[in-house]
Every structure is written in structure tokens, then in C-alpha cells.
């Protein structure tokens, strides 16, 4: 069991690490050579550009900041991070980013008053009891445990104080949750109402389209929607199974990277002839000119991809029973997306289409029948993974409870008893080991979510976040308590009668606060400070800059701004809420460590959102109901846990007062769910009609058909022939069914061909991330059109 000295060692190591990370960042961000690593968001938005070289400037100043006065203000990034208002953050980074930051604000609003009250009231109540002094021979205890509820004598009247504060903390948390849910819901509605025209407002994704013998899928979709939505149906776009084609694209990209690499080396040293062996991985075979070899390989790949593309287009089996259906009004799209289309509820399944950047095209090829099977298999896999991870969790807990391990394995005592080693093992290593075990988990869970078959990146991230939360709840929280108790109190369990085991568990659960304190310092202090340093992107950028970058566009591609990692960050945040709410009454000394995390993380992530992160998509805060529900779950867990603790303390008179609290909490959650959640799940018809009427008044000549024509163009139609980094433009929109091939008969005797025209939607511009299937030239007219010709 970690003592105050061990916690002090851990605090010293983590505070020193966090300070070192923040100091290194403050210095590295001032260097011109690192500008694209620490301010990529401004380069993407056009608010920052590479400084033009000056003839009189010192060559060194292009890489190192020689203005020593700026080093005196190296901490200016902190006030600058809080300078931008919330409205400006929404315009700058989107609503998702602004609402994500509000979770940290909510944490501070909830825990600051709770910390003050708990420290002033609960700690004196707990310390003055002194029960653990009489139990030292039976149980492994530390000085920190004397500050917890474990130190209160059984049947004590002091438990009424804990129950009263549990009610107070629950009421305060629910009040703040209600206000925040209401505020975020209004933010979402204002954001949707203020948005400019977007293609997803008019588009619905239709899955499980039935096969009608003798009719193509496009004819079936056209007939169904012209019959059932005659006044609002506009057009549709078919979806192709192009996963094999996508693999070819990735292989071609790798070949292009190797060609760029060798071309760059040749440009730097033209006197040297670059060669490569043609055999496997370049280890054997005939030696040939590297540049010519990769050019020939790319040329052959282009032919292969053209044949594969023709095969996909001609083969009717490649067309999936999925389509993006567009309507001439938001009202028509809302009605279709939110109603049942067929008597058979498994056919013609409609939902709002994700925005083009948010579509995960690979999963559109999954047959509808297999989705249920996939979800079942993934659920079983997640269940297995959760319990498999209990093994390393138990090992971590053995490090955190060395005294209990010594009693079972006394031969380890000479090593463990060394003072510094003991403090390091108990105060720092357990949290670090758990952090390492959890490092690869988000990637594994994201792969599982992709296998489930979700078609939007935002949905994938929310599903991965849900899995990660359940994992954190079972393994990091409950698993740490159970396995830690087993190791820590093993000797007491073996030498005492079975009737005493419930008492020992009830006492030892709050003792796990020491482990969670070390975890908070490693993950929430040093880990968050390491986030702002961006060591991995910094290393990769300079590596690419040394070997691959030769033009300004190459340098832009070398930037990796990343985005808020919702699958990992949201569950971690919810774990901190869980720890704070559970231990507020049980072991309140943990709360100050929670507060430091929320304050530091708010500052760091605010800076990253303003200067670094570039979100892939915008879900308009669709994740907020999940955040609310899991904080409610934390309240319920804390109430049940306190109820169990009091039952072991023989507090029969006070325990019944807690029974009603979970009922009241669930009633509050149900009210919030009915009151606020519809705004996150549905689009009001009243709002849709109002926007449609306004648009018809202000833009009576708007051609929606041309605007929506190619918004959801499948990536198989993207161009590969990009010359001089500029795409040639031409358009001929004469097709009656936009998005489907039109057969034209040429006047010459040449064979017939199919023409596909694709146009970038006007609402996308160079400051936004390219939607799937589009290339963005760095400087071109505001309207880009791609022209494809596929031989029949």
C-alpha cells in the first residue's frame, strides 16, 4: 500500500515530467523550423504562411529563433490559449471542438465546490474516528487510508454526514448536468440553424434496397422514391463495391512515394545514378535505374487500375444495395430520414447521410444481413478482451500492493524493502504500467468498430469510445479494486474466518484511492503535458522534411495536425468523472488531483484545438448524450458503492436513506433523455421548413440538382492524371439522372463510351479538408470539374 512518502515520490516525478514537457514545448514552438508542427491549423486555414527567405537574413535564423527577447515570454501560450471566445472557437474549429472543451469546464464546475466541501467537512470527520489504528495488525493500511471512510467506526452516527454529502453532491452534479445539457442542446440548434447550405442537409442514405428482377438498382431506387416522395425526390447516386480498387490505390501511392524519394535524391545529386534490384524487397534480381523502374511500375498500375475501374462499372454485381438519395428541400429529406419507408421494416432503411468527409466508404460494401452477425461477434470479442486484460491489470495491482505480496512471498522482501525502489514501485510504476497496457487498446477497439459495419467516421469513433469506456469501467476501475483487494488483503483472508471477508473488502475498497492517485498523476498530469509537446509528429515531420519534401505542397503534406482523439479521450475523461464522483465521499483526498487534471487538460486541449487539430468531420456535438449518460452512470455507481460500504460498517439505521437516491437519479436521467436528447437524434421539421422558405426567398434561382450532383461521388471516379498540380476543368451536365452513366453515341465510327462528370460542391473550399474522392489543387478557380472517359 502506497504511503504518503510514496505518493510524494510519484508527485515529484510526474510534476517534474510535466514541467519538462511544458518547458520543452514553450521553447520548441518558438523555433521557425517547428512552426508547421505546432501551428498547422493556421497554415491549413490560410492564416499563416512560410516566411519568404530574405537575402540579408542570417541563414541560421531560418531554423533557430535568434531573438532572445522572445524567450522571456515563452509562457505566453497559456494566456493566449484562453483568449479566444467560445463563438470564435466554433467558427475556427467547429462545434465538436467547442463542446469537447466544455466537458473540462463541466468537470471544474462539478468538482471545485465538491472538493472544498469534502476537504473541510469529511476529512475531519474521518480522521477523528481512528478505527484503522486498531486494525493495523489485521489489514494493510497507510496514512492516506486514515483520511477515508474506512477510518470511521462501525455503527457510528458519523455516517449520516457521508450520506448527507452524497445527497448534496448528487443534487449538485445533476443540477450542473441539466444546465449543461440545456446549454449544449441550444448550441447545437443554433449551430445547425446558422450553417450555410450543406449537401448532407438534403441527402439521405438508403440501405438494404431490394432487388427487383429485370430492373437495375438505379431504376428501382428511382421508381420507389418517385412514387413515394414525388414532390421532393431529386436524384440519387449509386454506391459501388470498390474495396479491391482501393487497395490498388494504396499500393500505387506507395510506389509514388518511392518515386518521389528517388527523384529527390537525384535532384540533389544528379551526378549519381540511382539503381535498385528488381527482386523481392530489393534484395536480389537485376539492378536497374530506380526512377525508370518506379515510373514503369506506376504506369503498369495505372493500366491495371483502369481495367479494374471498368470492371466495377460494367459489372452489375458491383453495385451495392445502398444509395445516397437527394431531395429538393431539407423538409423532404427530414421526412424521409425519420420515417419508415416500407411495410417490411428491414427494407428501404433510411437515415441521414453523413457529410462527405465523414463517410467510411469501405463499410458501404457490407451486406445488410451480415451486420447483425458482425455485431454479435464483435460483442463477444469485446467481452473476451475485457476479461483477458484482467491478467495484466492484476499484475499492475501486485506492484501497487507490495506489503500484501511480501506476506505471501517473503523471499522478495530484501529487494522490495529498499527505500527508493519501494517508493518507485508503489508510487510511480503501477500508473505507468497501466498506461502502457492501455496504449494499443484504442486502435484495437477502432478496428473492431470498423468490422461492425458503421458507415460514418463519427459513428465509428463514438462506438469505439463506448467500448473503451466499458473497458475502463470493468478493468481500470472495478478490476483494479477487485484484483488489488485480492493481492493486498490475501494474508488477512487466509487467516481470518469467512464471516470477516465482507468487512475486509468493505474497508479495502476505499484504500484503492492511492493507486488511482498515482494513475491520475501519470496519465492526467504528465500524459496531458506530453500531448502538447507532440514528439511523434515533430519527429515524423522533420524526417519527411529531410528526405521527401521538395516543394511547398510536399511540406504541407508532411504536416500531421491530427484531431481530437475522441475514441480515447472521451472515455478517459469519463473515467476521471467516475473517480471523482465515487471517491468524493469515500476518500476525498483524491479530489485535488482530479482538479489539477481538469485545469491542465483544459488549457492544453484549448491550445491544441486553436493551433493544431484539424477535425476530419463535424457531428454538431452528437457525442454529448453519451457523455451525459456516463456521468449519470458514475453517480449510480458511487451510490451503490457507498450503500455496500455502509452495509459492511453495520450502519443499519442510516443505510435505508440511500436506497431512494438511485431511483431519483434514474428519474432525472429519464427526464433529461426525453427533454433534450431528441435535439441530438432528429432534425425538427419546423426548422427544416423555415430554412427552406428563407433559401427560396433569398436564392430563387438556385439549381439544387447541380449543387448536389456529385457531393457523394464514389472514390472510384477520382482522377489519377494530375499534371502540374492542377486539374483541368470541363463540365457537360446534360444527364437526366445525375450520378449515373449516360450513354452517348459519337458521330465517328469509334466505339461508344461512358462519360462521368464530377463537380466539387461550392460549399467546399481550399480551407477545408477534401471530401473522399476529391483532389484540391493549391491554387485554382473556385469551381473544379473532373472529366472521366471509360471505354465501353
Amino acid at each position: 500500500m502506497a504511503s504518503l512518502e510514496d505518493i510524494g515520490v510519484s508527485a515529484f516525478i510526474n510534476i517534474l515530467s510535466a514541467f519538462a514537457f511544458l518547458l520543452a514545448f514553450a521553447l520548441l514552438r518558438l523555433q521557425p523550423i517547428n512552426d508547421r508542427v505546432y501551428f498547422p491549423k493556421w497554415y491549413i486555414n490560410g492564416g499563416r504562411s512560410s516566411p519568404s527567405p530574405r537575402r540579408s537574413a542570417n541563414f541560421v535564423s531560418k531554423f533557430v529563433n535568434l531573438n532572445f527577447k522572445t524567450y522571456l515570454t515563452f509562457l505566453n501560450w497559456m494566456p493566449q490559449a484562453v483568449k479566444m471566445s467560445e463563438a470564435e472557437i466554433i467558427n475556427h474549429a467547429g462545434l465538436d471542438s467547442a463542446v469537447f472543451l466544455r466537458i473540462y469546464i463541466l468537470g471544474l464546475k462539478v468538482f471545485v465546490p465538491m472538493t472544498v466541501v469534502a476537504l473541510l467537512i469529511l476529512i475531519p470527520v474521518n480522521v477523528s474516528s481512528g478505527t484503522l489504528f486498531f486494525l493495523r495488525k489485521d489489514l494493510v493500511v497507510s496514512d492516506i487510508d486514515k483520511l477515508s471512510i474506512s477510518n470511521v467506526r462501525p455503527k457510528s452516527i458519523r455516517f449520516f454526514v457521508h450520506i448527507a454529502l452524497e445527497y448534496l453532491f448528487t443534487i449538485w452534479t445533476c443540477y450542473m448536468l441539466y444546465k449543461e445539457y440545456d446549454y449544449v442542446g441550444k448550441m447545437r440548434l443554433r449551430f445547425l440553424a446558422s450553417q450555410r447550405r450543406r449537401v448532407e442537409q438534403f441527402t439521405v442514405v438508403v440501405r438494404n434496397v431490394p432487388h427487383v428482377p429485370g430492373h437495375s438498382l438505379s431504376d428501382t431506387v428511382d421508381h420507389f422514391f418517385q412514387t413515394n416522395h414525388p414532390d421532393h425526390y431529386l436524384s440519387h447516386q449509386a454506391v459501388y463495391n470498390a474495396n479491391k480498387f482501393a487497395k490498388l490505390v494504396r499500393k500505387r501511392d506507395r510506389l509514388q512515394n518511392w518515386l518521389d524519394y528517388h527523384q529527390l535524391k537525384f535532384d540533389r545529386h544528379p551526378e549519381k545514378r540511382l539503381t535498385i534490384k528488381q527482386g523481392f524487397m530489393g534484395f536480389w534480381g537485376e539492378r536497374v535505374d530506380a526512377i525508370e523502374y518506379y515510373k514503369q511500375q506506376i504506369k503498369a498500375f495505372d493500366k491495371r487500375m483502369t481495367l479494374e475501374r471498368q470492371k466495377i462499372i460494367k459489372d452489375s454485381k458491383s453495385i451495392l444495395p445502398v444509395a445516397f438519395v437527394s431531395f429538393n428541400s431539407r423538409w423532404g429529406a427530414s421526412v424521409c430520414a425519420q420515417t419508415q419507408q416500407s411495410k417490411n421494416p428491414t427494407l428501404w432503411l433510411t437515415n441521414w447521410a453523413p457529410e462527405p468527409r465523414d463517410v467510411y466508404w469501405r463499410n458501404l460494401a457490407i451486406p445488410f444481413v451480415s451486420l447483425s452477425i458482425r455485431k454479435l461477434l464483435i460483442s463477444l470479442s469485446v467481452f473476451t478482451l475485457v476479461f483477458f486484460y484482467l491478467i495484466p491489470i492484476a499484475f499492475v495491482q501486485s506492484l501497487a500492493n507490495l506489503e500484501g505480496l511480501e506476506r505471501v512471498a517473503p523471499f522478495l522482501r530484501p529487494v522490495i524493502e529498499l527505500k527508493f525502489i519501494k517508493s518507485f514501485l508503489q508510487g510511480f510504476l503501477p500508473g505507468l504500467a497501466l498506461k502502457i497496457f492501455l496504449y494499443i487498446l484504442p486502435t484495437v477497439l477502432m478496428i473492431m468498430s470498423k468490422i461492425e459495419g458503421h458507415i460514418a467516421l463519427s459513428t465509428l469513433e463514438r462506438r469505439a469510445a463506448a467500448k473503451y469506456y466499458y473497458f475502463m469501467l470493468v478493468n481500470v476501475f472495478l478490476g483494479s479494486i477487485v484484483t488489488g483487494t485480492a493481492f493486498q488483503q490475501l494474508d488477512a483472508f487466509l487467516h481470518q474466518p469467512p464471516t470477516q471477508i465482507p468487512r475486509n473488502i468493505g474497508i479495502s475498497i476505499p484504500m484503492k484511492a492511492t493507486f488511482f492517485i498515482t494513475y491520475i498523476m501519470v496519465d492526467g498530469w504528465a500524459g496531458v503535458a506530453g500531448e502538447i509537446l507532440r514528439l511523434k509528429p515533430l519527429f515524423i515531420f522533420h524526417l519527411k522534411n529531410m528526405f521527401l519534401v521538395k516543394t511547398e505542397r510536399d511540406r504541407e503534406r508532411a504536416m500531421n495536425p491530427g484531431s481530437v482523439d475522441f475514441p480515447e479521450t472521451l472515455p478517459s475523461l469519463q473515467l476521471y468523472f467516475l473517480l471523482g464522483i465515487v471517491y468524493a465521499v469515500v476518500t476525498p483526498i483524491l479530489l485535488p488531483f482530479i482538479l489539477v487534471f481538469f485545469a491542465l487538460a483544459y488549457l492544453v486541449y484549448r491550445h491544441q484545438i486553436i493551433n493544431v487539430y484539424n477535425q476530419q468531420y463535424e457531428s454538431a456535438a452528437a457525442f454529448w448524450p453519451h457523455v451525459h449518460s456516463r456521468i449519470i452512470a458514475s453517480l449510480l455507481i458511487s451510490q451503490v458503492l457507498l450503500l455496500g460500504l455502509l452495509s459492511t460498517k453495520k450502519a443499519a439505521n442510516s443505510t435505508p436513506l440511500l436506497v431512494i437516491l438511485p431511483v431519483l437519479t434514474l428519474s432525472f436521467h429519464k427526464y433529461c433523455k426525453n427533454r433534450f436528447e431528441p435535439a441530438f437524434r432528429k432534425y425538427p421539421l419546423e426548422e427544416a421548413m423555415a430554412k427552406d422558405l428563407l433559401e427560396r426567398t433569398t436564392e430563387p434561382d438556385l439549381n439544387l440538382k447541380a449543387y448536389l450532383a456529385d457531393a457523394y461521388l464514389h472514390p472510384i471516379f477520382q482522377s489519377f492524371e494530375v499534371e502540374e498540380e492542377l486539374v483541368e476543368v470541363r463540365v457537360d451536365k446534360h444527364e437526366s439522372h445525375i450520378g449515373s452513366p449516360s450513354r452517348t453515341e459519337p458521330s465517328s465510327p469509334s466505339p461508344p463510351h461512358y462519360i462521368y462528370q464530377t463537380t466539387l460542391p461550392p460549399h467546399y473550399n481550399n480551407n477545408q479538408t477534401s471530401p473522399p474522392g476529391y483532389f484540391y489543387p493549391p491554387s485554382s478557380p473556385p469551381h473544379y470539374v473532373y472529366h472521366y472517359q471509360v471505354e465501353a
Side-chain angles (χ1 to χ4, degrees):
M1 175 61 62
S3 63
L4 284 174
E5 183 180 358
D6 301 333
I7 297 297
V9 171
S10 177
F12 174 77
I13 294 174
N14 286 288
I15 291 174
L16 189 63
S17 301
F19 181 78
F21 290 149
L22 293 175
L23 181 62
F25 161 73
L27 297 177
L28 289 173
R29 66 186 287 271
L30 296 176
Q31 312 310 318
I33 196 174
N34 299 327
D35 207 50
R36 286 183 177 270
V37 177
Y38 293 113
F39 300 97
K41 178 76 172 179
W42 295 100
Y43 283 92
I44 294 171
N45 288 347
R48 206 178 186 107
S49 59
S50 298
S52 57
R54 295 173 295 175
R55 295 180 180 178
S56 58
N58 190 340
F59 176 77
V60 180
S61 64
K62 299 176 184 178
F63 304 96
V64 180
N65 185 358
L66 299 179
N67 184 4
F68 294 102
K69 291 183 179 180
T70 58
Y71 290 94
L72 300 177
T73 59
F74 67 95
L75 293 179
N76 274 3
W77 68 270
M78 292 185 180
Q80 290 172 359
V82 297
K83 203 172 184 180
M84 186 178 285
S85 67
E86 186 173 75
E88 291 172 330
I89 288 179
I90 293 174
N91 292 329
H92 177 70
L95 185 64
D96 282 342
S97 299
V99 172
F100 171 73
L101 291 175
R102 290 202 65 85
I103 304 176
Y104 294 98
I105 298 176
L106 177 63
L108 292 172
K109 288 180 178 179
V110 169
F111 289 116
V112 167
M114 288 172 59
T115 302
V116 174
V117 173
L119 294 181
L120 292 179
I121 297 177
L122 281 182
I123 287 186
V125 169
N126 295 335
V127 171
S128 60
S129 292
T131 297
L132 292 180
F133 176 79
F134 301 100
L135 298 176
R136 294 179 73 95
K137 297 180 180 179
D138 298 328
L139 295 170
V140 178
V141 297
S142 71
D143 293 333
I144 291 179
D145 300 324
K146 298 176 184 178
L147 306 177
S148 73
I149 196 174
S150 300
N151 202 39
V152 181
R153 295 175 183 273
K155 300 181 180 181
S156 174
I157 196 173
R158 297 170 186 262
F159 289 124
F160 284 103
V161 177
H162 297 83
I163 293 174
L165 288 184
E166 182 71 14
Y167 268 91
L168 179 63
F169 292 163
T170 298
I171 293 171
W172 173 250
T173 304
C174 289
Y175 173 70
M176 296 309 304
L177 281 175
Y178 179 86
K179 289 187 63 177
E180 201 66 23
Y181 213 150
D182 183 40
Y183 185 79
V184 173
K186 291 177 180 177
M187 286 177 66
R188 174 181 168 87
L189 292 177
R190 284 198 302 268
F191 179 78
L192 294 175
S194 65
Q195 274 188 316
R196 297 176 57 191
R197 183 172 55 251
R198 296 172 66 89
V199 292
E200 62 268 21
Q201 297 171 350
F202 301 88
T203 309
V204 170
V205 60
V206 183
R207 306 186 77 177
N208 211 27
V209 177
H211 173 68
V212 178
H215 293 78
S216 67
L217 185 136
S218 292
D219 291 338
T220 302
V221 173
D222 267 330
H223 179 266
F224 181 86
F225 283 96
Q226 286 175 358
T227 302
N228 296 285
H229 300 268
D231 299 327
H232 299 281
Y233 171 64
L234 189 64
S235 62
H236 77 275
Q237 287 186 355
V239 178
Y240 295 83
N241 185 352
N243 289 345
K244 182 178 178 182
F245 186 82
K247 293 180 182 179
L248 296 178
V249 173
R250 289 192 290 271
K251 290 180 180 178
R252 186 192 185 278
D253 287 341
R254 286 196 290 269
L255 291 173
Q256 185 66 49
N257 288 338
W258 278 111
L259 175 61
D260 292 343
Y261 170 73
H262 286 91
Q263 186 68 52
L264 178 62
K265 290 183 67 175
F266 178 76
D267 292 341
R268 290 177 175 173
H269 303 285
E271 70 281 359
K272 294 183 180 180
R273 181 173 178 265
L274 302 175
T275 60
I276 189 175
K277 292 183 179 180
Q278 288 182 308
F280 176 74
M281 299 291 291
F283 291 122
W284 59 74
E286 181 183 356
R287 188 172 289 278
V288 296
D289 182 87
I291 295 177
E292 287 301 320
Y293 170 76
Y294 283 113
K295 284 183 178 179
Q296 292 299 322
Q297 289 286 312
I298 291 174
K299 186 176 180 181
F301 246 82
D302 286 344
K303 292 181 180 178
R304 185 178 171 187
M305 291 167 68
T306 301
L307 294 175
E308 180 64 25
R309 185 165 53 180
Q310 292 178 9
K311 179 181 176 182
I312 292 171
I313 295 171
K314 293 177 183 178
D315 187 4
S316 60
K317 295 181 180 179
S318 296
I319 302 178
L320 303 174
V322 182
F324 289 99
V325 179
S326 298
F327 295 82
N328 60 14
S329 66
R330 296 172 182 84
W331 190 91
S334 300
V335 171
C336 181
Q338 298 168 175
T339 56
Q340 182 175 319
Q341 303 301 311
S342 171
K343 291 180 291 186
N344 186 344
T346 64
L347 299 177
W348 297 102
L349 303 179
T350 57
N351 207 338
W352 282 109
E355 64 168 308
R357 296 178 302 171
D358 196 17
V359 177
Y360 188 67
W361 293 93
R362 187 179 301 178
N363 279 358
L364 289 171
I366 299 175
F368 179 78
V369 178
S370 70
L371 290 177
S372 299
I373 300 174
R374 286 168 172 260
K375 290 179 181 179
L376 175 62
L377 293 177
I378 292 301
S379 298
L380 295 175
S381 301
V382 171
F383 180 83
T384 304
L385 181 65
V386 166
F387 285 92
F388 169 78
Y389 256 75
L390 283 175
I391 299 173
I393 296 296
F395 171 73
V396 168
Q397 290 305 313
S398 69
L399 297 177
N401 302 285
L402 298 180
E403 289 91 342
L405 192 60
E406 282 181 10
R407 297 187 181 183
V408 180
F411 59 89
L412 295 176
R413 186 171 297 171
V415 177
I416 294 174
E417 284 301 322
L418 294 176
K419 188 173 182 180
F420 177 77
I421 293 179
K422 184 176 181 179
S423 297
F424 177 78
L425 290 178
Q426 290 189 321
F428 179 74
L429 191 59
L432 179 62
L434 182 58
K435 181 69 176 175
I436 294 172
F437 279 128
L438 296 177
Y439 182 75
I440 64 170
L441 188 63
T443 303
V444 175
L445 296 178
M446 176 57 78
I447 294 173
M448 288 183 170
S449 297
K450 290 179 179 179
I451 295 174
E452 278 185 315
H454 304 290
I455 64 172
L457 293 173
S458 56
T459 307
L460 286 172
E461 293 199 349
R462 288 198 295 273
R463 294 306 304 161
K467 295 180 180 66
Y468 196 39
Y469 170 75
Y470 298 138
F471 180 90
M472 300 280 276
L473 175 63
V474 174
N475 278 331
V476 179
F477 183 70
L478 298 177
S480 294
I481 289 175
V482 174
T483 56
T485 300
F487 275 97
Q488 175 184 338
Q489 312 300 348
L490 185 57
D491 184 71
F493 293 161
L494 293 176
H495 295 88
Q496 289 185 1
T499 55
Q500 296 298 311
I501 292 178
R503 187 201 65 163
N504 293 340
I505 294 178
I507 294 175
S508 61
I509 285 177
M511 294 179 185
K512 292 310 301 172
T514 54
F515 166 74
F516 288 123
I517 287 174
T518 64
Y519 177 76
I520 291 168
M521 287 190 289
V522 172
D523 180 71
W525 295 8
V528 169
E531 170 70 22
I532 202 172
L533 187 56
R534 286 173 57 80
L535 275 179
K536 183 179 177 181
L538 180 70
F539 175 76
I540 293 176
F541 173 78
H542 287 306
L543 197 63
K544 290 182 177 179
N545 208 25
M546 290 173 60
F547 297 105
L548 297 178
V549 171
K550 58 181 179 179
T551 66
E552 188 65 21
R553 190 177 183 188
D554 293 333
R555 190 168 287 106
E556 290 177 3
R557 290 176 175 175
M559 288 191 307
N560 180 25
S563 58
V564 178
D565 190 8
F566 288 123
E568 182 176 2
T569 309
L570 285 180
S572 298
L573 258 173
Q574 291 150 8
L575 175 66
Y576 286 113
F577 272 99
L578 175 65
L579 294 176
I581 291 172
V582 167
Y583 281 98
V585 174
V586 175
T587 310
I589 194 63
L590 180 139
L591 290 177
F593 297 89
I594 293 280
L595 283 182
V596 172
F597 160 74
F598 276 108
L600 178 62
Y602 174 70
L603 192 65
V604 167
Y605 280 104
R606 215 175 197 275
H607 175 275
Q608 299 297 82
I609 283 172
I610 293 173
N611 298 301
V612 180
Y613 295 148
N614 188 45
Q615 293 302 117
Q616 286 183 279
Y617 59 83
E618 177 60 59
S619 70
F623 56 82
W624 186 262
H626 302 280
V627 175
H628 176 89
S629 298
R630 284 158 197 162
I631 296 177
I632 292 291
S634 301
L635 286 172
L636 293 172
I637 292 171
S638 71
Q639 294 156 11
V640 173
L641 177 59
L642 183 60
L643 191 64
L645 282 173
L646 293 181
S647 66
T648 64
K649 289 286 192 174
K650 302 177 181 179
N653 295 328
S654 56
T655 301
L657 296 176
L658 276 175
V659 175
I660 194 174
L661 196 53
V663 178
L664 295 176
T665 304
L666 286 173
S667 300
F668 168 78
H669 176 57
K670 185 177 180 180
Y671 171 78
C672 288
K673 189 177 180 69
N674 294 332
R675 170 68 177 82
F676 300 116
E677 192 168 321
F680 293 83
R681 298 287 178 257
K682 299 177 181 178
Y683 188 58
L685 294 179
E686 180 184 19
E687 182 73 21
M689 180 60 76
K691 293 202 73 170
D692 288 335
L693 291 175
L694 178 63
E695 189 170 78
R696 289 168 192 162
T697 303
T698 55
E699 300 179 71
D701 299 327
L702 175 65
N703 185 356
L704 269 178
K705 197 166 189 176
Y707 172 71
L708 298 170
D710 306 305
Y712 289 92
L713 181 76
H714 198 283
I716 67 168
F717 296 122
Q718 66 183 3
S719 172
F720 303 102
E721 301 297 331
V722 183
E723 298 181 0
E724 298 180 359
E725 300 185 353
L726 186 63
V727 180
E728 294 296 329
V729 304
R730 188 168 78 82
V731 65
D732 179 16
K733 289 197 172 297
H734 60 275
E735 174 56 27
S736 58
H737 298 296
I738 300 298
S740 59
S742 62
R743 189 178 178 88
T744 61
E745 298 292 340
S747 57
S748 62
S750 59
H753 58 279
Y754 292 93
I755 302 295
Y756 294 82
Q757 289 89 230
T758 69
T759 314
L760 285 182
H763 71 285
Y764 285 104
N765 53 56
N766 285 336
N767 294 337
Q768 292 177 299
T769 304
S770 304
Y774 298 127
F775 289 100
Y776 274 113
S779 58
S780 300
H783 190 68
Y784 313 112
V785 182
Y786 296 79
H787 177 264
Y788 310 105
Q789 178 170 312
V790 182
E791 295 297 331

